[in-house]
Amino acid sequence: MHIKKKLLDIVRDKIRFKHYSISTEKTYVHWIKHYIFFHNKKHPVEMAKNEIEEYLTFLATKKQVSPSTQNQAFNAILFLYKEVLGIDTTEWNIQALRAQERKHIPVVLTTQEVQKVLQNLTGIYKLVVTLMYGCGLRMSEVLNIRLKDVDFGFNKLYIWDSKSLKDRTVPLPLKLKDELLVQVKRVEEIHKKDIKDGFGTVYLPFAYKKKYPKANCETKWQYLFPMNNISKDPRSNIKRRHHIHPQTLGRNIKTAAQKANLNKRVTSHIFRHSYATHLLQAGIDLRSIQELLGHKSVETTMIYTHVVSEMNKAKLISPLDF
């Protein structure tokens, strides 16, 4: 007997087919489920423009979610209609009340403050965060680096399929070269032991598993910053070694910032903001910084000119000091 799949299971299948991350899968499923429950479990095919607008307006006015959260929910619903149900929503011209967007100037650290945080990190976490700052990487980018992505010959780092879906290279900090070479050797030894213990496979992106069936056992595909332990893949249930967990890295950064006695809110992304700001202060042009960060538009990068402008304002003196 053919058992009909539940809608959310079909959503999960479609997300995996399109190779979206597991965090995107969890987020999309959450908002789609929330949307359906908001309309008393009405099936989405029985709903359209009005129901979507009502739901998004509810998020903005009653739930008072941030603009980015509202957009997240909107994207999840659009994915449901377009990719899962095959319904074209372009003609609907959805006009929900939008959550009020505030333009935030990124908080950045001075070079001295960056060093203070790094000095309070130890082991692998110190290397990870130093590389994040030294290359202006997002947390997801630094954690997804494979051994093959580090080019010691040309001193550059390959970042594949980042948030902007734009592959790029960034200069490898020469100060980290020796430490990274040691880390590569460490990963090679870990991989040898994993194979000996009956493990040794690694998650492969996109259709690489079908195209290169043995690639998931190759050393070059192993993560540069692996977990200490073997864990079970939540999608395939295969036991293998994944990269360091984002929450673990975030916790180490938070602890280091507290030890450094910084009053600023220090997250993983502050090192990327600081990288861009420090390059701008050093006279690197905006277009080059845009390419290094992998921004689609130079307008996104221009936020750092405001950061530097605010810093320059600090050099002005108060009339009280005349």
Side-chain angles (χ1 to χ4, degrees):
M1 186 177 76
H2 179 71
I3 300 170
K4 195 174 180 183
K5 273 196 171 184
K6 291 181 179 178
L7 179 64
L8 291 180
D9 288 332
I10 299 169
V11 170
R12 288 186 186 96
D13 289 345
K14 193 68 180 180
I15 287 170
R16 291 172 192 186
F17 176 75
K18 293 186 77 67
H19 316 293
Y20 289 0
S21 70
I22 193 160
S23 60
T24 301
E25 178 183 323
K26 286 176 180 175
T27 302
Y28 275 24
V29 168
H30 164 78
W31 287 118
I32 290 166
K33 189 176 178 181
H34 197 263
Y35 167 64
I36 293 167
F37 272 72
F38 175 77
H39 288 293
N40 301 311
K41 298 184 182 179
K42 205 174 183 182
H43 197 285
V45 291
E46 298 171 20
M47 301 188 281
K49 173 183 163 73
N50 290 342
E51 285 83 0
I52 295 173
E53 288 180 346
E54 186 186 347
Y55 175 65
L56 292 174
T57 300
F58 160 77
L59 290 181
T61 57
K62 296 287 191 288
K63 295 284 281 184
Q64 295 186 326
V65 301
S66 68
S68 60
T69 302
Q70 191 190 31
N71 284 335
Q72 212 174 53
F74 190 25
N75 288 334
I77 294 166
L78 289 180
F79 180 89
L80 170 68
Y81 280 94
K82 184 184 175 186
E83 303 293 344
V84 180
L85 302 174
I87 297 170
D88 186 7
T89 60
T90 50
E91 299 289 315
W92 291 0
N93 189 26
I94 295 161
Q95 297 291 326
L97 187 67
R98 307 303 284 170
Q100 191 174 358
E101 192 163 4
R102 289 185 178 89
K103 285 287 180 186
H104 292 292
I105 292 179
V107 174
V108 298
L109 301 175
T110 64
T111 51
Q112 291 81 10
E113 287 171 335
V114 169
Q115 291 308 316
K116 274 187 181 180
V117 177
L118 295 178
Q119 283 161 13
N120 283 284
L121 284 161
T122 55
I124 192 73
Y125 300 106
K126 184 172 186 176
L127 182 57
V128 173
V129 178
T130 307
L131 190 62
M132 279 173 67
Y133 169 65
C135 296
L137 305 178
R138 300 175 177 95
M139 182 191 274
S140 60
E141 291 171 348
V142 75
L143 292 181
N144 279 290
I145 295 170
R146 316 273 181 151
L147 297 194
K148 67 177 185 62
D149 301 333
V150 190
D151 188 336
F152 291 106
F154 286 100
N155 296 318
K156 61 182 177 181
L157 188 64
Y158 289 89
I159 307 299
W160 304 106
D161 192 37
S162 64
K163 184 182 173 184
S164 61
L165 299 177
K166 186 180 179 185
D167 301 333
R168 69 187 194 277
T169 62
V170 292
L172 194 68
L174 298 181
K175 282 186 178 180
L176 288 181
K177 196 168 179 178
D178 289 343
E179 281 185 72
L180 289 170
L181 283 164
V182 170
Q183 179 62 16
V184 168
K185 290 291 179 190
R186 179 174 167 266
V187 174
E188 287 171 352
E189 291 304 314
I190 290 170
H191 184 52
K192 278 181 192 173
K193 188 178 184 305
D194 284 349
I195 289 174
K196 192 178 175 183
D197 294 344
F199 301 106
T201 64
V202 71
Y203 166 76
L204 287 185
F206 309 112
Y208 276 102
K209 182 73 178 75
K210 287 183 181 178
K211 198 172 182 182
Y212 309 107
K214 295 180 181 178
N216 64 354
C217 287
E218 291 178 17
T219 307
K220 68 181 180 183
W221 277 99
Q222 303 305 306
Y223 288 110
L224 180 63
F225 302 116
M227 273 185 173
N228 286 330
N229 304 311
I230 299 287
S231 60
K232 189 183 281 186
D233 188 306
R235 283 176 170 174
S236 65
N237 287 326
I238 296 170
K239 286 186 175 180
R240 54 192 175 197
R241 196 177 295 274
H242 202 55
H243 59 63
I244 289 171
H245 200 284
Q247 285 183 351
T248 310
L249 178 57
R251 198 162 52 243
N252 275 269
I253 291 170
K254 187 179 178 181
T255 303
Q258 287 170 345
K259 286 180 181 177
N261 292 318
L262 298 184
N263 292 324
K264 294 176 181 176
R265 182 173 174 265
V266 179
T267 64
S268 63
H269 216 67
I270 204 170
F271 297 99
R272 181 171 161 88
H273 291 323
S274 302
Y275 166 86
T277 305
H278 298 163
L279 284 181
L280 204 57
Q281 285 179 308
I284 306 298
D285 66 279
L286 205 62
R287 187 70 68 178
S288 296
I289 296 172
Q290 178 199 349
E291 288 180 12
L292 289 168
L293 293 175
H295 286 160
K296 284 182 182 177
S297 166
V298 74
E299 287 177 14
T300 310
T301 320
M302 281 181 71
I303 189 73
Y304 299 109
T305 60
H306 300 304
V307 177
V308 174
S309 175
E310 287 297 314
M311 287 176 171
N312 289 337
K313 278 182 191 173
K315 294 174 185 175
L316 299 173
I317 59 170
S318 163
L320 279 173
D321 297 323
F322 285 170

